[in-house]
Amino acid sequence: MQRPTAPSWITFGLLALSGTALPAIAQATGFFYAPPPPDENAPTFSGEAELGYTHLSGNTDSQTLIGKSRLSWLTGDWTHTLRGEVRNVTRDGDTSAEQYLLSGRERYDFDGPHYVFGFARWEKDRFSGYEQQSTVIGGYGRDIIDTEHHQLSLEAGPGYRHDRIDDEGNRGLGVIYSALDYHWTLSRFASLRQEMSVESTDENTTSRSLSSLTARLNSRLSLRLSHEVKHNSSPPETAVADTDNTTNVTLLYTW
């Protein structure tokens, strides 16, 4: 998979901070692996839809589609989350990236900064060497920092992953998982988020990182610049590469 060059974070930050004053930027639940605790005044039901699309024609004929969605709802001390993602890149009629992901997550908050969690995830990446992967993980989390401008959560736990490998059959593996989510509210207009996770097995280690800068355009619509890295220390022989880098500029609708 091709590695796009990341745009300048500084340039985008200046653009994000130069707009007209707007209401305080929302503390939206993260798409990734260690979402923050719900606010005291959080709505019972909320969601996000993120979309990016480009089409080039002429000397180069290519299309890129990035779609992400998230639904969350609260039941007492429980937070329930459903998440989906799709990515597709074609160039001159040939597909160079095709990825799908579905996941469900449960979180139970205790008094204080402690919580337990569990999630199940299914993913399919056409060029990863895996036909598909299914993962179930549960464990303990703690909110290390929770202030007006900074939030940091850490979590870890055991799990199980089922790999269906191209031309090799099936494989089940135990997983040791850890993750963090850091959120920095830069101003009333913009926020920065860094999310990371590591999943280790006897066969390989999969690490993921998502860095994003979000600028509020109005009460519902935002502009997001993100860079995502996924690395597999020992992928199947049919994999195109061991590391995927994806840089996106997308519109984010929140409700």
Side-chain angles (χ1 to χ4, degrees), residues 96-114:
S96 58
E98 185 176 350
Q99 303 171 357
Y100 306 93
L101 183 147
L102 292 172
S103 74
R105 180 184 176 100
E106 299 290 336
R107 167 175 170 148
Y108 181 83
D109 285 278
F110 298 103
D111 291 336
H114 313 281

Side-chain angles (χ1 to χ4, degrees), residues 1 96-100 123-134 161 163-166 168 171 204 206 208 230-244:
M1 186 177 297
S96 58
E98 185 176 350
Q99 303 171 357
Y100 306 93
E123 54 189 328
K124 181 178 179 67
D125 185 342
R126 179 175 171 183
F127 299 97
S128 67
Y130 298 96
E131 185 176 341
Q132 64 182 33
Q133 293 179 286
S134 300
R161 193 180 76 207
D163 298 340
R164 183 177 297 176
I165 304 174
D166 297 338
E168 293 186 25
R171 180 175 64 189
N204 52 39
T206 302
R208 310 170 196 247
K230 179 181 178 182
H231 174 74
N232 187 336
S233 63
S234 181
E237 294 181 357
T238 55
V240 175
D242 60 7
T243 304
D244 290 336

